[in-house]
Amino acid sequence: MTQTPRLPVRMCARCQRFTGTPVLVHEVHAATGPGFNVYAWSECAVHYPTTTDVLDLLGPTERRSRLTLRVYRIAADGRVVDDRGKTEYLAVGHADQPVPFTSVYPPCTCPRCKAPP
């Protein structure tokens, strides 16, 4: 005995009728969990504006990735005792800037850092 595929049944958000041919009219995104879809009957769907992708609204951006390091020591009461300033690294590509070599940290053992200059 073969089963026939089950058709989707959704309620129209405009007229509250159940329909076997739902039309997706809106996607609701949630920051703390899964979102949900809003469906309409085919005759009510024309009353909804076309959906736009939220990423299309942002447009292109020229912002580069940035890493900011602040080095300081604090006392037991929480005040800053020795502030050594901050350093910013702007990323243009994957490895456009050389990795700084300092004696503060142990030397890196990755193939990129071990390769001769």
Side-chain angles (χ1 to χ4, degrees):
M1 179 175 181
T2 64
Q3 290 184 329
T4 59
R6 185 175 165 190
L7 296 175
V9 176
R10 300 285 188 264
M11 185 174 75
C12 176
R14 185 166 184 260
C15 66
Q16 284 78 39
R17 273 196 265 178
F18 287 99
T19 176
T21 56
V23 177
L24 178 66
V25 292
H26 187 67
E27 293 177 343
V28 178
H29 300 283
T32 58
F36 59 93
N37 295 332
V38 178
Y39 294 95
W41 186 46
S42 58
E43 292 185 19
C44 291
V46 297
H47 298 285
Y48 284 91
T50 59
T51 58
T52 57
D53 188 9
V54 291
L55 295 178
D56 291 339
L57 298 175
L58 296 176
T61 178
E62 296 297 323
R63 186 173 169 206
R64 298 186 299 175
S65 297
R66 179 177 58 196
L67 170 69
T68 304
L69 299 174
R70 285 197 67 183
V71 180
Y72 55 89
R73 286 190 297 174
I74 58 172
D77 60 356
R79 63 189 164 83
V80 176
V81 210
D82 181 23
D83 190 354
R84 297 183 187 175
K86 69 178 181 178
T87 306
E88 290 187 357
Y89 296 99
L90 295 175
V92 179
H94 290 285
D96 291 328
Q97 293 183 348
V99 178
F101 181 74
T102 63
S103 62
V104 177
Y105 300 105
C108 182
T109 58
C110 79
R112 187 180 80 167
C113 293
K114 289 174 74 175

